[in-house]
Amino acid sequence: MDLKAIIFDLDNTLIDFLTFKKETAKVAATAMVREGLPLTEIQTYGKIFSVYDEKGIDYQKTFRDVIEPFGFDVNKAERIQQAAIVTYLKRKFEVLKPYPMVYLTLEKLRKRYKLAIVTVAPRNKAWQRLVFTNLQNEFDIVISKDDVEEKKESGFDIAAQRLGFAAEECMYVGDNAERDILQAKEIGMKTCWAKYGSMRKTSETKADFEIDRFEDLLKIIKG
Ligand SMILES: [Mg+2]
């Protein structure tokens, strides 16, 4: 294939985002119960994920939403919320990581291709996660949710334009087999499903390729 650029999704493709969200929810739940939330840790963990499901995984007031229905006085509510936030942040620094072999694989790919990110995460969160995982200098361009809203085009169109390549010269790699893969394919990009990051047990995908490990990308590109 006459490939010029590879465009990556960020969360659950480059970064093991789900492990990070699960691990931080666990410790936050423990802290909230310790500070007086009248639920078990498992129930609290469940409530945190209900808020994520309803409001989106990047929602910024998750713990407040969990605490609010109990009608505590403001100081107790704040104490429980801050206990959750502090433990969440401490744990975040330990668990937010790229998948194995991401650095080495990107290093090899960079020698031959332009590399980009298209993510549905907000701009500040995307960059925060990139800096955090030391991936901030690996990509030629980063297109976030905010860039898409400003331009009113799909992130894939914007990425191809900014890279200066036709969609057909780009390959998209992402874990979302439905929305993202289909959108990229629709405009003519090659697509690769990052099966290892998929939260849903999708068995079928319209992607041209699929990978069980990040580094398998190198095999696909050689082939
Ligand atoms: Mg993703």
Side-chain angles (χ1 to χ4, degrees), residues 9-13 120 172 174-176 179-180 197 199:
D9 169 53
L10 179 58
D11 300 327
N12 294 321
T13 296
V120 293
Y172 174 69
D175 67 285
N176 185 311
R179 181 196 63 205
D180 298 347
M199 295 193 216

Side-chain angles (χ1 to χ4, degrees), residues 85-100:
I85 292 171
V86 168
T87 45
Y88 172 99
L89 290 174
K90 278 191 192 161
R91 190 78 181 123
K92 175 178 177 173
F93 288 97
E94 295 164 356
V95 292
L96 189 63
K97 290 193 177 100
Y99 286 102

Side-chain angles (χ1 to χ4, degrees), residues 58-95:
D58 268 310
Y59 181 61
Q60 293 297 291
K61 288 169 180 160
T62 303
F63 303 134
R64 191 205 60 184
D65 281 18
V66 170
I67 297 161
E68 213 162 43
F70 294 96
F72 299 125
D73 76 72
V74 286
N75 281 295
K76 182 170 181 182
E78 196 65 47
R79 188 181 79 219
I80 297 173
Q81 188 183 341
Q82 292 307 326
I85 292 171
V86 168
T87 45
Y88 172 99
L89 290 174
K90 278 191 192 161
R91 190 78 181 123
K92 175 178 177 173
F93 288 97
E94 295 164 356
V95 292

Side-chain angles (χ1 to χ4, degrees), residues 29 37 63 70 74-75 81 97 110 126 138 140 145 151 154 157 173 179 216 223:
L37 193 79
F63 303 134
F70 294 96
V74 286
N75 281 295
Q81 188 183 341
K97 290 193 177 100
R110 272 173 71 76
E138 300 292 321
D140 297 283
K145 179 179 150 204
K151 290 268 184 180
S154 89
D157 286 306
V173 184
R179 181 196 63 205
D216 290 347

Side-chain angles (χ1 to χ4, degrees), residues 12 17-29 32 43-66 81 84-85 87-89 91-92 95-96 125 129 179 199-200:
N12 294 321
F17 190 68
L18 193 59
T19 298
F20 147 60
K21 280 292 179 180
K22 283 181 180 167
E23 291 298 314
T24 50
K26 270 188 216 162
V27 293
M32 289 161 94
Q43 286 168 334
T44 309
Y45 179 88
K47 294 262 182 212
I48 292 170
F49 268 85
S50 309
V51 177
Y52 287 151
D53 284 342
E54 193 191 327
K55 304 271 176 79
I57 200 119
D58 268 310
Y59 181 61
Q60 293 297 291
K61 288 169 180 160
T62 303
F63 303 134
R64 191 205 60 184
D65 281 18
V66 170
Q81 188 183 341
I85 292 171
T87 45
Y88 172 99
L89 290 174
R91 190 78 181 123
K92 175 178 177 173
V95 292
L96 189 63
K125 292 286 155 188
R129 295 206 265 273
R179 181 196 63 205
M199 295 193 216
R200 297 203 184 89

